[in-house]
Amino acid sequence: MYVAVKGGERAIENAHAWLAEERRGDTDVAELDIQQIREQLSLAVNRVMAEGSLHDPDLAALAIKQARGDLIEAIFLIRAYRTTLPRFGTTKPVETAEMACDRRISATFKDVPGGQVLGPTFDYTHRLLDFKLAAEGEPVTAEQRDADPAPVPHVTEFLNRESLIEEAPRDDTPPPDLTREPLELPAARALRLQALSRADEGFTLSMAYSTQRGYARNHAFVGELRVGTVPVEMEIPELGFAVEIGEITLTECETVNQFKGSRTEPPQFTRGYGLVFGHSERKAISMALVDRALRWEELGEDNSGAPAQDAEFVLYHADNIQASGFLEHIKLPHYVDFQSELELVRKMRREANAQTREAAE
Amino acid sequence: MSGYNFAYLDEQTKRMIRRAILKALAIPGYQVPFASREMPMPYGWGTGGVQVSAAVLTPEDRFKVIDQGADDTTNAVSIRRFFERTAGIATTTATRDATVIQTRHRIPEEPLREGQILVYQVPIPEPLRFLEPRESETRKMHSLAEYGLMHVKLYEDISRHGHIATTYAYPVKVEERYVMDPSPIPKFDNPKLSDCAAIQLFGAGREQRIYALPPYTTVASLDFDDHPFDPSRADHPCGLCGSVETYLDEVIMDDAGGRMFVCSDTDHCETRQNAGYRGKDAG
């Protein structure tokens, strides 16, 4: 006899307990602590902060631990927590030109004021597994020297001075808040950049890559890529002036793209822009390329029908929390819908069979 | 649960959602954009419905959650527990005792009454989405009431299959104006949408849309004069309560083709069994 399936509640509780046990793994192995994740898996922490839209390395590390290293799950934990936080106000725009750079490179000039600073990069490592790391490695100390106090101006500014690149005039309009207003199209560049900054790294990478391979090719030079810290300042109404409330690490990429000219304007280069929390170069460069591709309309370019030019396509599919939620929801029960399809297919088959029989008679 | 506001969402967010609900009730069938929040359950698990429920629940409410018609499906259990923990409200499985019912994929068999609110979880609120993927286009089509494309699709179904091939999320027209997606309920449930005494609210979290049917709204399933709408069901009585009027689940019993049909609405089925109705498979 059929008994209606009961006990969903107990099944859920048991599943959660099992999950917690699996998360911990073999208890003979020391447990990871949050500091270890924050310090030794810092690029994972950076990605969770960037796509979670919350700059808090400790919380990101906790989320990674809780998510068993599943970064999209960790991003989800951070997003869900972030929504519940009260908004105290808005900080002043950060001045990335005054960034204390750990890394700063330009692909367009051999040397630039402020210099080329490689910083902590994988770029020229040979990807050979370092088996010494599997044993307990001695801590490595890199050579140090005092920071150069000279300013590190933006490379694109040099081009701008000669009007060789399009102007990026200062715009003090408060940007829209993607997390507080529904996304509506057409989306202004500020909103597009906001969406791209928290977009899935893999999606952004593939979109950017597609432009390089010819789907809305806009040939990007990395005018500059910089990674470093900037102070965050907030205007305190009671005080009447801005105070520094902390420091965050950012990765900024400015691309110099193919030029355009018109009857009124002589040819000049155009810009793509990427800015991401933490040290996330792949994401920042990808973002700059996609930003540039999405600007086809304002730059008077042709729409070649490429996915990366399609703001609606890019913005509606870039968020990994939305995408993974909807994708995975198809594992939830759908038997009511399926039953209705089943009935229709059976009915149509009956009719088709009857017709075949009639024809045979 | 300490540290969170009643029903999880903060009051500002609830106010924003209530505004969207009021607008949706004022323009039945129209999809109102709202600033959907990231909820502590994934998109696709009913975040739209959960936000709408959170915005309408009061401490005096009695809350029921169903998924596929049943109170004990895992996600229904999970959402019910979420509100038990965050709102501390009373819950029930009895349709007639509930003041707010959140549902996925079904409308309860028992007619709803005035004062009740039915909250639907909606995956894709746009009935035209699979005909036109662009939101910018579909919004234009709605504002111009340009629904020819939908009729062409239904007509093509008939010419190809002899039937309209849509069996769930069957499109409806609300008060002869907006074409609306009733969420993926089986078309068997479509007639219950119309002239319903309860308030019907539809929440799509990921797609950031809310729409609504105020009580006693006329809702017509799209059809043709020579192919009238047919709310079909499996042609069997319920194995447990014997009803020949309810929507049925098909359960595979063995690997030799054995199957039984039982009511999808578990509360309705149990109520009938308690009243003495018996199907052929009831013990």
Side-chain angles (χ1 to χ4, degrees):
Chain A
M1 195 215 113
Y2 168 78
V3 182
V5 187
K6 291 268 181 198
E9 190 142 359
R10 256 191 64 204
I12 290 174
E13 272 168 26
N14 290 338
H16 290 175
W18 196 351
L19 176 69
E21 192 182 309
E22 288 285 311
R23 184 195 59 68
R24 177 60 182 85
D26 185 347
T27 49
D28 289 338
V29 177
E31 184 171 1
L32 267 176
D33 67 35
I34 302 305
Q35 289 79 8
Q36 287 172 329
I37 296 171
R38 188 192 61 210
E39 296 302 319
Q40 296 173 40
L41 297 177
S42 56
L43 296 187
V45 168
N46 284 342
R47 182 173 173 196
V48 171
M49 294 197 303
E51 293 170 37
S53 300
L54 183 72
H55 196 285
D56 190 322
D58 287 314
L59 285 181
L62 170 63
I64 291 168
K65 177 174 176 170
Q66 188 179 333
R68 306 174 66 192
D70 179 338
L71 296 190
I72 292 185
E73 181 67 27
I75 291 160
F76 185 14
L77 288 167
I78 291 297
R79 290 268 192 96
Y81 176 74
R82 179 192 193 276
T83 347
T84 65
L85 299 175
R87 300 285 203 273
F88 293 122
T90 313
T91 59
K92 293 179 66 178
V94 292
E95 291 292 349
T96 53
E98 284 153 32
M99 179 184 283
C101 295
D102 286 345
R103 171 163 164 77
R104 189 277 194 123
I105 51 170
S106 169
T108 49
F109 296 99
K110 187 177 170 80
D111 200 8
V112 280
Q116 304 261 19
V117 181
L118 276 187
T121 174
F122 288 122
D123 284 357
Y124 306 103
T125 60
H126 294 143
R127 270 57 168 204
L128 304 169
L129 271 178
D130 182 359
F131 294 102
K132 284 198 307 259
L133 278 179
E136 272 166 70
E138 287 292 302
V140 177
T141 322
E143 207 176 302
Q144 292 197 6
R145 70 176 169 100
D146 291 334
D148 189 341
V152 188
H154 277 131
V155 170
T156 48
E157 274 312 293
F158 306 123
L159 292 169
N160 198 26
R161 232 170 280 164
E162 290 180 69
S163 299
L164 286 171
I165 195 163
E166 57 165 323
E167 288 258 26
R170 194 187 169 95
D171 181 357
D172 285 327
T173 326
D177 184 347
L178 189 63
T179 67
R180 282 292 184 262
E181 291 146 42
L183 175 66
E184 292 195 70
L185 296 161
R189 191 177 179 205
L191 187 63
R192 298 198 303 255
L193 288 170
Q194 202 176 109
L196 288 174
S197 190
R198 63 177 355 215
D200 181 71
E201 182 175 309
F203 176 87
T204 318
L205 169 67
S206 293
M207 279 292 133
Y209 177 49
S210 73
T211 69
Q212 290 184 294
R213 286 197 65 260
Y215 290 83
R217 181 171 156 82
N218 54 49
H219 197 279
F221 290 104
V222 173
E224 181 172 350
L225 178 71
R226 54 169 69 196
V227 183
T229 53
V230 290
V232 178
E233 293 182 349
M234 193 166 157
E235 202 91 47
I236 308 293
E238 290 87 341
L239 298 178
F241 54 86
V243 294
E244 188 177 320
I245 56 168
E247 219 175 51
I248 59 172
T249 301
L250 294 175
T251 304
E252 183 184 51
C253 177
E254 287 193 281
T255 55
V256 178
N257 296 71
Q258 65 191 22
F259 53 84
K260 58 145 200 162
S262 65
R263 226 170 305 159
T264 49
E265 274 182 277
Q268 57 179 186
F269 293 106
T270 55
R271 297 168 186 259
Y273 188 74
L275 183 70
V276 189
F277 277 160
H279 186 172
S280 311
E281 295 180 23
R282 190 185 299 123
K283 174 68 183 289
I285 300 170
S286 303
M287 178 176 167
L289 264 61
V290 177
D291 167 50
R292 178 59 184 75
L294 290 174
R295 297 182 61 213
W296 65 273
E297 205 163 5
E298 63 191 79
L299 295 173
E301 294 172 342
D302 289 336
N303 180 354
S304 64
Q309 283 180 310
D310 187 334
E312 183 159 348
F313 181 84
V314 172
L315 299 182
Y316 271 116
H317 301 105
D319 189 281
N320 53 26
I321 302 308
Q322 293 177 353
S324 66
F326 195 57
L327 180 102
E328 292 192 38
H329 105 281
I330 61 174
K331 66 193 171 188
L332 296 180
H334 283 78
Y335 45 78
V336 161
D337 307 352
F338 183 68
Q339 187 64 35
S340 60
E341 298 248 291
L342 205 54
E343 288 304 324
L344 180 67
V345 172
R346 282 184 181 140
K347 188 174 179 183
M348 292 196 305
R349 285 177 64 87
R350 271 197 306 274
E351 288 168 2
N353 288 340
Q355 274 170 14
T356 322
R357 263 198 309 277
E358 264 170 42
E361 285 159 11
Chain B
M1 197 161 66
S2 62
Y4 288 103
N5 193 33
F6 173 79
Y8 183 76
L9 293 175
D10 61 278
E11 292 302 316
Q12 286 300 325
T13 299
K14 286 190 203 168
R15 188 170 303 163
M16 174 272 293
I17 296 172
R18 286 176 193 142
R19 277 197 203 112
I21 292 173
L22 289 174
K23 181 168 177 180
L25 285 165
I27 320 171
Y30 171 78
Q31 300 167 51
V32 182
F34 82 111
S36 174
R37 299 291 192 250
E38 268 135 343
M39 299 300 286
M41 63 272 292
Y43 289 117
W45 266 245
T47 54
V50 167
Q51 290 179 78
V52 168
S53 291
V56 300
L57 278 172
T58 64
E60 295 75 36
D61 272 312
R62 189 171 289 274
F63 191 49
K64 171 180 164 83
V65 188
I66 50 173
D67 185 343
Q68 315 294 300
D71 298 271
D72 52 14
T73 30
T74 39
N75 201 39
V77 169
S78 172
I79 291 171
R80 187 163 57 242
R81 277 191 62 182
F82 177 74
F83 282 108
E84 280 170 354
R85 287 171 64 191
T86 58
I89 46 160
T91 57
T92 179
T93 58
T95 300
R96 70 183 55 175
D97 296 341
T99 52
V100 179
I101 303 172
Q102 182 169 329
T103 180
R104 177 168 172 262
H105 296 189
R106 275 311 310 274
I107 298 175
E109 302 288 358
E110 186 176 322
L112 300 176
R113 56 178 162 74
E114 282 184 20
Q116 287 183 311
I117 301 176
L118 184 59
V119 179
Y120 296 77
Q121 300 172 201
V122 181
I124 303 272
E126 178 49 71
L128 305 169
R129 178 63 66 239
F130 302 109
L131 305 171
E132 168 53 61
R134 282 169 198 285
E135 180 69 11
S136 40
E137 285 301 314
T138 52
R139 283 191 83 79
K140 225 177 285 169
M141 289 159 79
H142 282 293
S143 56
L144 300 171
E146 179 52 66
Y147 297 126
L149 203 56
M150 180 63 93
H151 282 103
V152 170
K153 191 258 171 201
L154 299 177
Y155 174 76
E156 282 179 350
D157 274 4
I158 293 171
S159 58
R160 198 169 299 153
H161 306 293
H163 295 275
I164 291 173
T166 304
T167 57
Y168 59 89
Y170 189 104
V172 295
K173 199 168 211 180
V174 180
E175 292 287 352
E176 298 188 4
R177 176 58 182 88
Y178 285 101
V179 166
M180 186 190 95
D181 181 316
S183 88
I185 56 172
K187 64 177 179 169
F188 172 83
D189 281 340
N190 272 24
K192 298 180 203 146
L193 293 160
S194 192
D195 204 32
C196 174
I199 295 174
Q200 300 178 79
L201 304 175
F202 299 77
R206 189 179 41 78
E207 298 280 340
Q208 309 190 311
R209 296 290 184 272
I210 286 172
Y211 50 103
L213 297 171
Y216 306 111
T217 300
T218 303
V219 180
S221 301
L222 298 184
D223 63 358
F224 299 97
D225 291 342
D226 51 347
H227 275 271
F229 174 75
D230 166 33
S232 63
R233 66 184 283 280
D235 194 14
H236 299 272
C238 169
L240 296 180
C241 77
S243 171
V244 291
E245 287 164 352
T246 57
Y247 192 76
L248 302 172
D249 290 337
E250 179 173 335
V251 184
I252 297 174
M253 302 299 286
D254 51 42
D255 57 3
R259 55 174 55 105
M260 72 179 281
F261 290 86
V262 289
C263 288
S264 133
D265 184 334
T266 48
D267 169 62
H268 184 73
C269 192
E270 278 162 29
T271 308
R272 276 179 54 88
Q273 290 177 65
N274 291 341
Y277 293 98
R278 282 288 178 275
K280 69 178 173 59
D281 301 304

